[in-house]
Amino acid sequence: MQGNFWLRHTITAIALAPAPAFAIDDALLPRNLSPWGMFVSADIVVKAVMIGLACASLVTWTVWLAKTIDLRRKGALALKRTRALEGNLKLTEAAERAGDAHDAVAQLIQSCAKEAELSGGVLDDGLQERVALRLERVEAAMSRQIARGTGVLATIGATAPFVGLFGTVWGIMNSFIGISESHTTSLAVVAPGIAEALLATALGLVAAIPAVVIYNHLVRGITNYRALLGDASAQLMLLVSRQRDHRDFRLSRAAE
C-alpha cells in the first residue's frame, strides 16, 4: 500500500515538473531562418540596411557592365585610329578621315588641325607648343569622360562594410533588448536578432568586395585607354614636326 502511494506521488511530480529548457527553446525558435525569412522578420532599420546594400550591389554590377562595354569599344577605335596615324600621312588627310566623329582620337586630330588652320601656316616653335597644349586639354577631357561613374564603386567599396556593421550592431542591440524584456537568456530570444545581424554583415561584404575588385579592374582599363590617347598625341606631334621640316603644312579646309 505504501509502495503504491510513493509510485503515484513520483508520477504526479514528474507530470507537474517544468519542461526542459531546450524543449521550450526548440518550441519558441523561429521556424524559418532562411535569408528571406530573416529579412522578413527583421527590424525596420535592419531591413533598410539590407535593401540599401542590395541596391549598392546592383549599382556595382551595372557600372561594371556599362564601363566594360564602353572601354572595349572606345579602346578598339582609339587603337585603330592611332595605328592609322603611324603611316605616311599628312594632317590634312588625317583630318579628312576623322571627319566629324566624336571619339577621343578623332577629337585630338580635329583639335590639332584646327590649331594649324588658326596659325595661318606659320611654322615656328610656338605652333608645336600650342598644338601640344590643345592635345593635352583634349586628353584630360576624354580621360574624365571615360572615368565618369567609377567613383561610386570606390564609395561603395569603402562604406558598405561599415553600413553592414551598423546593421550588425542594431541587430545585436535588439537581441539584448529582447533579453531584457523577457528576463531570460533563452536561445529563442537571442537567435533571431543575431541571425539578422550576421545577414547584414554578409550583405555588406557582398556589396563591398566586388566593388573594390571591379574598381581596380576598371582603373587598369582606364589607364590603358589613357596610354592609347598619349600614343595618338605623340603621333600627331610627330606628324606636325615632319610637315614643319618639309614646309608642307597647308590644310585644304578648316577642321570643325
Side-chain angles (χ1 to χ4, degrees):
M1 188 71 178
Q2 187 177 2
N4 292 335
F5 170 78
W6 284 109
L7 180 60
R8 288 195 300 270
H9 179 73
T10 303
I11 294 174
T12 303
I14 293 174
L16 296 178
F22 65 84
I24 295 176
D25 289 349
D26 290 342
L28 294 177
L29 279 174
R31 294 298 181 185
N32 186 4
L33 283 179
S34 65
W36 177 251
M38 287 187 287
F39 170 77
V40 171
S41 61
D43 182 82
I44 184 63
V45 176
V46 181
K47 279 184 179 179
V49 169
M50 293 180 183
I51 292 173
L53 291 172
C55 292
S57 182
L58 179 62
V59 169
T60 295
W61 291 106
T62 302
V63 171
W64 167 77
L65 180 61
K67 282 299 175 183
T68 299
I69 295 174
D70 196 29
L71 276 171
R72 287 184 179 179
R73 180 177 60 84
K74 291 184 176 181
L77 184 56
L79 182 61
K80 178 181 177 181
R81 289 192 184 276
T82 301
R83 287 177 176 174
L85 292 174
E86 294 177 355
N88 187 15
L89 195 66
K90 294 183 179 180
L91 186 59
T92 303
E93 298 172 354
E96 290 176 351
R97 290 185 182 183
D100 296 327
H102 297 289
D103 60 279
V105 178
Q107 292 194 38
L108 289 171
I109 296 171
Q110 293 162 8
S111 181
C112 183
K114 183 68 175 178
E115 182 58 39
E117 184 70 19
L118 291 175
S119 297
V122 178
L123 309 178
D124 54 8
D125 293 334
L127 172 63
Q128 288 185 291
E129 293 178 1
R130 292 190 296 272
V131 168
L133 180 60
R134 278 182 174 268
L135 295 178
E136 182 180 350
R137 291 178 59 190
V138 173
E139 277 188 59
M142 294 298 101
S143 298
R144 289 194 299 270
Q145 181 181 356
I146 198 64
R148 190 176 303 158
T150 57
V152 68
L153 298 179
T155 301
I156 292 173
T159 60
F162 296 101
V163 176
L165 180 61
F166 171 73
T168 301
V169 172
W170 192 271
I172 293 175
M173 184 176 65
N174 283 338
S175 296
F176 281 113
I177 292 174
I179 292 173
S180 176
E181 291 178 349
S182 61
H183 303 287
T184 179
T185 57
S186 170
L187 184 61
V189 176
V190 178
I194 298 297
E196 297 164 11
L198 294 177
L199 181 60
T201 302
L203 287 177
L205 295 176
V206 166
I209 294 174
V212 173
V213 174
I214 292 172
Y215 176 76
N216 291 332
H217 171 72
L218 291 179
V219 166
R220 289 193 295 270
I222 291 171
T223 301
N224 293 334
Y225 180 74
R226 288 174 176 171
L228 283 176
L229 297 187
D231 292 341
S233 295
Q235 289 297 329
L236 285 171
M237 291 300 297
L238 291 173
L239 188 151
V240 170
S241 178
R242 285 195 298 267
Q243 289 194 234
R244 178 190 172 188
D245 292 341
H246 290 85
R247 297 290 173 179
D248 184 16
F249 207 81
R250 293 182 300 275
L251 294 176
S252 61
R253 65 177 180 84
E256 297 295 334

